[in-house]
Amino acid sequence: MQWELWYCTPACKAMAEIKNVVETYIQKAFKTNGRVSIEEIYGELEKPPVALLPCGVTAFMLGFVLSEYASPDYTWTNELNSDTMTPEKLV
C-alpha cells in the first residue's frame, strides 16, 4: 500500500516516505522469512533515503507507522515467548 495521499503537502512527504519504506520492507520480509523484527525495520530506516538518527522523534515515528500492526492478526516474540501483538507490546 502506497501512502500517496500523504504527499498532498510538503510537510507530510517525509512521513509518507518512511511509511512506504517500512511497508515495502515488511512485505519483503514476510515473503522471505514469514517474520520481521523492529530492529531490522529500524536498520532499514537508518539507510538512505530516510537516514533516521537514534532519538525520541524516530521512536515516535516508528511507533506511528507500525501502529496498524498492533493487532491480534500479528504475533510478538522474544524467541522464548510468543503472544498476540498489542499496542503495549509494540511500545
Side-chain angles (χ1 to χ4, degrees):
M1 171 177 88
Q2 295 290 312
W3 280 30
E4 293 161 1
L5 286 175
W6 284 48
Y7 284 93
C8 61
T9 64
C12 296
K13 185 176 179 184
M15 200 62 160
E17 179 75 25
I18 291 167
K19 180 64 177 175
N20 289 334
V21 167
V22 168
E23 286 299 316
T24 300
Y25 187 81
I26 288 173
Q27 294 309 314
K28 180 180 165 188
F30 280 170
K31 287 179 184 172
T32 305
N33 307 343
R35 61 193 293 174
V36 65
S37 75
I38 292 174
E39 182 179 12
E40 292 171 357
I41 295 168
Y42 177 71
E44 190 68 18
L45 292 173
E46 287 183 307
K47 301 174 188 174
V50 179
L52 292 180
L53 299 172
C55 67
V57 173
T58 296
F60 172 79
M61 289 190 301
L62 189 55
F64 178 75
V65 298
L66 292 175
S67 63
E68 70 187 78
Y69 294 99
S71 73
D73 296 333
Y74 300 96
T75 57
W76 164 91
T77 184
N78 65 2
E79 301 301 328
L80 298 174
N81 301 302
S82 293
D83 200 359
T84 57
M85 180 57 84
T86 64
E88 292 79 20
K89 288 186 179 79
L90 184 61
V91 176

